[in-house]
Amino acid sequence: MNSDPQMTFKALVAEKSGDTYIQSVKERTISDLPGHDVLVKVHYSSLNYKDALSATGNKGVTKQYPFTPGIDAAGVVEESSDDRFKTGDDVIVTSYDLGMNTPGGFGQYISVPGDWIVPLPAGLSKKESMMIGTSGLTAAIGAEKIIKQQIGAIDGSVLVTGATGAVGSFAVGLLSQLGYQVIAATGKMDQTDFLTSLGAAEVIHRDEITNIPDKPLLSGRWIAAFDTVGGEILDAVIRQTDHNGVVACCGNVLGHELRTNVLPFILRGVSLMGVDSGIALMADRVRIWKLLANEWKPKFLHKLHRETELKKLPEEIKQILRGKQVGKVLINVSSG
């Protein structure tokens, strides 16, 4: 790399202060970054739950501090020793180790291996890509799993749990755009108008899913579901999924344990499919991003996002940890 190692840039830095962790914008230098193949100037990022965990000292996410979180980044290649990328290329980087133990997208520069990079597909701007981000990519992978099980828009309703969160709200919008009758389940009934504006055909309180008889099988209420919360809700969702239905799941906010029974699987042929965009193969990432830039390009992005800057992130981090976030927080990193 030929960049001046002492060149400074702004980054949100999480560090321990007494018995807690604080976040503040600080000056960093290129020499603070790992010496990977590609140096990217970050224009936009987005806030995810995992970022909030990293920013508040969760050692299961980030092992050493001070640290710059941010599992999402979109920007321009500043310098590259990888022949696949050249200066000026527009690129996306999500997941892998970015923002976990490799300084992430809440800094104005990142240094990453070329194997982590997706070229920005034609049809998407850098800003739009981070209005989608990891949460949108996760929702799109879940939608594709439902489609690949040959669940059509006329086959029945599709349930989305945690519907006001970043993943859930994108799933509501995308599945509705693809023609499905979406039931949005949430604990925030004051956000009903928001969910219907995304295309939800029906909005229900999450308690309607779990306040059910303790029976191994219940009447089928939906042909497919995308669960973002896990725990007892996932069990209840499975028991109310109709014949040959599919349940895609990606979250464990309500717990990582799943206590259920085999009857939905062996008597109804229900399929349970995990979704983790963090371990998606590069070929799958590229394919999904191209879909999101073309046939699946979201028409609802302007309804989902709020734009902010690095210095305002500490309050947004508190909000997402309190379960108060609605939609997606877009970060204009270049504005500092």
Side-chain angles (χ1 to χ4, degrees):
M1 293 289 186
N2 298 317
S3 296
D4 179 0
Q6 297 310 308
M7 183 177 74
T8 61
F9 61 91
K10 292 179 181 178
L12 186 84
V13 178
E15 56 192 333
K16 192 169 186 180
S17 176
D19 294 329
T20 189
Y21 284 80
I22 61 172
Q23 311 89 33
S24 58
V25 177
K26 294 194 171 184
E27 294 281 335
R28 309 298 278 174
T29 65
I30 297 298
S31 63
D32 293 324
L33 300 175
H36 289 309
D37 303 331
V38 186
L39 182 68
V40 177
K41 185 175 183 179
V42 179
H43 288 200
Y44 291 96
S45 183
S46 66
L47 178 63
N48 298 277
Y49 188 72
K50 186 176 286 186
D51 301 322
L53 294 178
S54 171
T56 51
N58 187 305
K59 295 298 179 68
V61 177
T62 299
K63 294 180 173 59
Q64 294 187 338
Y65 293 85
F67 184 70
T68 296
I71 64 172
D72 286 351
V76 179
V77 172
E78 186 89 357
E79 197 171 328
S80 174
S81 60
D82 187 316
D83 292 339
R84 293 171 292 181
F85 305 99
K86 64 182 186 302
T87 300
D89 284 351
D90 290 334
V91 295
I92 303 168
V93 187
T94 63
S95 59
Y96 294 102
D97 192 50
L98 185 71
M100 296 179 66
N101 295 290
T102 299
F106 295 174
Q108 293 177 330
Y109 283 88
I110 57 173
S111 177
V112 295
D115 287 343
W116 295 4
I117 297 175
V118 174
L120 183 72
L124 272 186
S125 67
K126 293 185 288 292
K127 182 175 183 177
E128 287 173 329
S129 74
M130 288 296 99
M131 291 164 75
I132 296 170
T134 287
S135 55
L137 181 64
T138 301
I141 291 172
E144 187 182 55
K145 286 182 180 289
I146 291 171
I147 292 168
K148 283 187 172 181
Q149 289 297 105
Q150 299 183 8
I151 304 295
I154 63 171
D155 292 328
S157 298
V158 177
L159 174 75
V160 176
T161 65
T164 60
V167 177
S169 58
F170 195 97
V172 170
L174 180 59
L175 288 164
S176 298
Q177 183 176 304
L178 294 176
Y180 291 94
Q181 291 289 110
V182 175
I183 302 171
T186 180
K188 304 183 181 80
M189 294 302 289
D190 60 331
Q191 297 298 322
T192 295
D193 289 346
F194 166 65
L195 292 168
T196 54
S197 77
L198 294 176
E202 183 181 358
V203 179
I204 64 173
H205 195 281
R206 63 192 177 203
D207 289 349
E208 288 189 39
I209 299 173
T210 53
N211 289 344
I212 52 176
D214 185 18
K215 296 180 179 180
L217 273 178
L218 296 161
S219 298
R221 297 176 64 185
W222 38 77
I223 189 64
F226 189 5
D227 174 59
T228 71
V229 294
E232 65 173 350
I233 282 186
L234 178 55
D235 167 49
V237 167
I238 292 169
R239 289 189 281 139
Q240 296 172 83
T241 300
D242 216 338
H243 288 85
N244 298 315
V246 57
V247 178
C249 63
C250 71
N252 61 1
V253 173
L254 289 186
H256 65 275
E257 292 187 353
L258 174 59
R259 298 181 180 180
T260 191
N261 71 94
V262 299
L263 295 190
F265 307 110
I266 63 175
L267 295 185
R268 283 194 179 156
V270 172
S271 298
L272 178 61
M273 311 187 79
V275 178
D276 184 354
S277 64
I279 60 170
L281 298 175
M282 180 54 72
D284 294 329
R285 292 170 188 260
V286 170
R287 185 187 70 258
I288 294 289
W289 276 114
K290 285 183 177 178
L291 277 173
L292 290 167
N294 294 285
E295 302 101 292
W296 288 8
K297 186 166 184 178
K299 300 174 183 176
F300 49 86
L301 287 180
H302 65 287
K303 300 176 182 177
L304 277 184
H305 87 284
R306 292 183 294 107
E307 186 170 335
T308 191
E309 51 193 348
L310 290 176
K311 65 183 179 183
K312 295 181 180 178
L313 269 182
E315 184 57 36
E316 296 289 355
I317 288 167
K318 291 177 184 176
Q319 287 291 95
I320 196 171
L321 288 174
R322 292 170 183 156
K324 301 295 185 182
Q325 185 189 39
V326 174
K328 190 165 187 68
V329 175
L330 173 76
I331 305 152
N332 187 338
V333 179
S334 58
S335 70

